[in-house]
Amino acid sequence: MKRSKFWILMLVPTFALVFFVNLYPLVRGGVISFQRLTVFNLNNPRFVGWNNYRTILNDPAFPRLLWNTFVWIACSVAFQFLFGLILALLLAKPFFGRGLYMGLVFYPWALSGFAIGLLWSWLLNGQFGIVNDVLIRLGLLKTPIGFLSDERFAMFSVILVNVWYGIPFFAIMLLAAIQSIPSELYEAAQIDGAGFFRKLFSVTLPYIRPTIYSTVLLRIIWVMNFPDIIYGMTRGGPAGATNILSVQMINIVYYRNNFGLASALGMIITAILTIFAVIYLTLLERGEFEL
């Protein structure tokens, strides 16, 4: 009996940390989402029921927010995975200077997303950006392009930067999984006369399938909750062309000072991700889709 109490006491700090770091902010955010809480009534919030949720869902801009978020996630994760896999395959075999090359390739992952957004906003600036200058000098453009100020190019530009930023994550995770594949499998495939693509689709991808499934799910969640790059580059503009749900939540806080409305949007994002994760994991368990 004393031994069981001792173990319970040992677990108390862990449960307390999980509660205050993870559960309390979630519960508190849920409570605020049902209140009218602004900078003008911080000490006297008023319960407003579902009004904040109705305001967000009835906003004419909400469908576009959902579509922009879908495009942002789908294009970012798809190309990050594709180029990350290619990079992992190239780095799987040892070559001279491999360590230095890996350090140079993976360094973007160590940088702040907001700082990267600011950096690329200068590079892609339509008036003095170096990218326009290089393209004009190469004869590929006659006049500068407003990469971030033109609705036709803005979403493409922020996705391009996010793909560049996220490739190292997939490359690191997939490279670790590829290096765990027993060499006997490749030797057996070689004896059977398998070529590169046969080995890729019959040995490599099936063996690293669990890593792919988990990293794709994690990356989708992170990208949906990752407003740093967009906020640093466009803040959701021009005219909402790059506005996604997480960026809209920040804009509500900074420009409208309405914490209740922002919390309601945050709870909607949480609900969407929870439903997606449940469906994704359920389909995986049933084997509905396989590589």
Side-chain angles (χ1 to χ4, degrees), residues 101-174:
Y101 184 74
M102 289 174 65
L104 293 174
V105 170
F106 294 155
Y107 94 92
W109 188 246
L111 300 178
S112 161
F114 186 73
I116 288 176
L118 289 177
L119 174 65
W120 278 95
S121 69
W122 298 331
L123 295 175
L124 295 174
N125 188 281
Q127 295 179 331
F128 53 80
I130 191 173
V131 175
N132 269 313
D133 185 58
V134 170
L135 293 176
I136 291 174
R137 289 176 184 274
L138 292 175
L140 299 176
L141 289 179
K142 293 183 178 179
T143 57
I145 290 179
F147 289 105
L148 303 179
S149 57
D150 191 322
E151 290 186 45
R152 295 173 298 174
F153 305 112
M155 181 56 86
F156 170 79
S157 300
V158 295
I159 288 175
L160 184 67
V161 175
N162 195 31
V163 169
W164 171 80
Y165 178 67
I167 288 174
F169 169 77
F170 275 110
I172 294 171
M173 301 300 290
L174 297 179

Side-chain angles (χ1 to χ4, degrees), residues 188-209:
Q190 186 70 34
I191 293 173
D192 291 340
F196 172 78
F197 290 103
R198 186 64 176 171
K199 291 178 186 176
L200 175 64
F201 289 103
S202 299
V203 178
T204 305
L205 292 181
Y207 199 90
I208 65 173
R209 184 186 305 156

Side-chain angles (χ1 to χ4, degrees), residues 62 65-70 72-74 76-77 80 162 216-228 230 243-250 265-277:
F62 189 70
L65 283 173
L66 284 177
W67 174 250
N68 284 347
T69 305
F70 171 76
W72 164 252
I73 295 173
S76 296
V77 175
Q80 286 175 5
N162 195 31
V216 167
L217 176 61
L218 285 175
R219 196 66 191 134
I220 288 174
I221 294 173
W222 288 350
V223 169
M224 186 165 183
N225 287 317
F226 185 62
D228 306 34
I230 290 182
N243 206 10
I244 63 173
L245 292 174
S246 54
V247 173
Q248 177 68 0
M249 186 170 63
I250 296 177
L265 182 54
M267 298 307 295
I268 291 174
I269 294 173
T270 303
I272 292 173
L273 286 175
T274 302
I275 293 171
F276 169 77

Side-chain angles (χ1 to χ4, degrees), residues 26-44:
L26 180 64
V27 173
R28 181 62 180 151
V31 173
I32 293 175
S33 70
F34 292 101
Q35 295 176 331
R36 175 168 176 74
L37 181 63
T38 68
V39 293
F40 304 107
N41 67 335
L42 287 175
N43 295 322
N44 188 28

